[in-house]
Amino acid sequence: QVQLVESGGGLVQPGGSLRLSCAVVGVTLDYYAIGWFRQAPGKEREGVSCISSSDGATRYADSVKGRFAISRDNEKSIVYLQMNSLKYEDTAVYYCAARDGYYSDSVYRYDYWGQGTQVTVSS
């Protein structure tokens, strides 16, 4: 059974940094593309970043380009999302998701989801 567990969320001031982790249990991470998504109150869940299973290709939403970085450690079965220069509008619950296939920024293409971790950017 595939399980994804996010961690690393918290309260941070604008301009600060956080690193989210997504631990993947029950499968060999090598074969799965991973996406990070977020959902703010009253808004739809949106794609933030994703990373392929094969060549490590990455994709970012325009709103986070240059500030966020996704990476994966297949040996540890963890995917990271380094978030720098955080803004108020980055406040949301962040989810990681996995799919056995090519990476995608669509919520509909992912089969497995974590429970989410709250990120709050506030002064």
Side-chain angles (χ1 to χ4, degrees), residues 10 24 28-29 32 35 43 46 50 58 60 70 76 80 83 85 88 90 96 98 101 115 120 123:
V24 182
T28 301
L29 180 60
Y32 285 78
K43 294 188 177 181
E46 62 175 1
C50 52
T58 59
Y60 297 93
I70 190 172
K76 295 182 178 179
Y80 301 100
M83 306 187 297
S85 302
Y88 292 114
D90 294 319
C96 63
Q115 293 300 305
T120 302
S123 56

Side-chain angles (χ1 to χ4, degrees), residues 13-36:
Q13 292 185 341
S17 298
L18 283 175
R19 188 178 76 161
L20 305 184
S21 298
C22 173
V24 182
V25 181
V27 293
T28 301
L29 180 60
D30 304 47
Y31 304 120
Y32 285 78
I34 301 294
W36 280 100

Side-chain angles (χ1 to χ4, degrees), residues 16-78:
S17 298
L18 283 175
R19 188 178 76 161
L20 305 184
S21 298
C22 173
V24 182
V25 181
V27 293
T28 301
L29 180 60
D30 304 47
Y31 304 120
Y32 285 78
I34 301 294
W36 280 100
F37 298 83
R38 66 187 181 186
Q39 188 166 19
K43 294 188 177 181
E44 293 187 353
R45 194 169 297 187
E46 62 175 1
V48 174
S49 182
C50 52
I51 186 167
S52 73
S53 58
S54 55
D55 57 6
T58 59
R59 186 182 297 173
Y60 297 93
D62 288 343
S63 58
V64 306
K65 278 181 183 176
R67 300 189 298 121
F68 289 12
I70 190 172
S71 61
R72 62 192 295 154
D73 185 334
N74 287 346
E75 288 191 6
K76 295 182 178 179
S77 200
I78 299 178

